[in-house]
Amino acid sequence: MLGHVEIPKDPIQRFAALFEEARRVIPVDPNAMTLASVGPDGRPSTRVVLLKDFDERGFVFFTNLESRKGRELLRHPWASLCFFWQPLEQQVRVEGRVEQVSDEEADAYYHSRPRGSQIGAWASLQSQPLPSREQLEARVEELTRRYEGQQVPRPPHWSGLRVVPDRIEFWHGRPSRLHDRHLYLREGAGWRTELLYP
């Protein structure tokens, strides 16, 4: 209890309830989140990716590990995520260490994807210069022929990354810019909470 404001104890359960609400009111990609990474020169970069799984271990997305974000996160394994659900006037910020998911997790998700997306994971040299769109389309055609009639294996350079949170902040919009900000900080096996000024 902080003053008269009681902050829920478990941020993952709180996120799960809020995410379900977002899924009800946001018809397209309620799982979209901004992901920030840092390059070897200390320069930050951001992009929108899709959350594919979450639990008490962290927040998971999948990518080509040879892409810019993949290379940055494997070299400097810290990231921040930001969800903004405008119809709910809710934002969630997550910060923490990055780890690669198990091969079993990556295989299970990869084989749940549409076949075209599986082929695309092989065809795209993500983040590298593309001489022409025709070259990409030719790679897709060649790979489609190669794997015709058989399961498309997961590329060795394609996997999932999990952001293991040590800091989660919930923001709720309020009138006069007097927003609610509830901060969770990892403390051992649990969480310490703080109420922040807006």
Side-chain angles (χ1 to χ4, degrees):
M1 181 77 77
L2 293 171
H4 66 282
V5 177
E6 186 171 354
I7 299 178
K9 297 275 190 292
D10 187 328
I12 304 303
Q13 289 181 8
R14 181 174 180 175
F15 178 86
L18 192 55
F19 185 55
E20 279 306 305
E21 191 176 351
R23 290 175 66 177
R24 284 195 296 272
V25 301
I26 299 171
V28 178
D29 294 338
N31 58 331
M33 58 187 184
T34 301
L35 163 68
S37 58
V38 177
D41 57 356
R43 183 172 179 160
S45 61
T46 59
R47 74 288 287 156
V48 175
V49 298
L50 298 178
L51 176 72
K52 291 301 181 179
D53 192 21
F54 71 92
D55 57 22
E56 65 283 349
R57 296 173 297 167
F59 299 77
V60 176
F61 63 95
F62 291 85
T63 189
N64 183 323
L65 299 176
E66 296 172 354
S67 66
R68 180 179 178 184
K69 63 181 172 297
R71 286 183 284 110
E72 289 181 348
L73 290 168
L74 291 176
R75 181 168 180 172
H76 185 78
W78 294 91
S80 66
L81 306 171
C82 183
F83 299 85
F84 180 56
W85 297 306
Q86 194 278 330
L88 303 178
E89 290 194 271
Q90 298 276 0
Q91 175 179 260
V92 182
R93 298 168 61 196
V94 177
E95 298 175 23
R97 189 166 182 84
V98 174
E99 64 182 26
Q100 192 169 332
V101 304
S102 68
D103 286 344
E104 291 77 16
E105 288 176 272
D107 286 341
Y109 177 68
Y110 181 79
H111 291 298
S112 75
R113 305 174 86 209
R115 189 174 179 85
S117 297
Q118 295 178 31
I119 294 288
W122 281 101
S124 175
L125 306 177
Q126 197 174 71
S127 300
Q128 295 185 31
L130 175 63
S132 70
R133 183 76 188 181
E134 289 74 22
Q135 183 167 319
L136 174 61
E137 291 168 355
R139 286 177 61 84
V140 169
E141 288 176 18
E142 190 275 323
L143 287 158
T144 301
R145 285 195 301 272
R146 181 189 306 175
Y147 293 115
E148 187 173 0
Q150 59 182 297
Q151 185 180 63
V152 182
R154 177 175 61 88
H157 57 266
W158 191 96
S159 188
L161 295 175
R162 175 181 288 109
V163 179
V164 181
D166 58 20
R167 181 184 178 104
I168 302 177
E169 181 188 321
F170 291 82
W171 174 99
H172 181 202
R174 294 284 194 176
S176 301
R177 314 300 292 175
L178 299 176
H179 312 307
D180 289 333
R181 293 179 64 190
H182 298 167
L183 177 63
Y184 294 77
L185 297 167
R186 176 71 74 180
E187 204 165 71
W191 296 90
R192 175 167 59 86
T193 58
E194 293 181 358
L195 189 62
L196 302 180
Y197 276 99

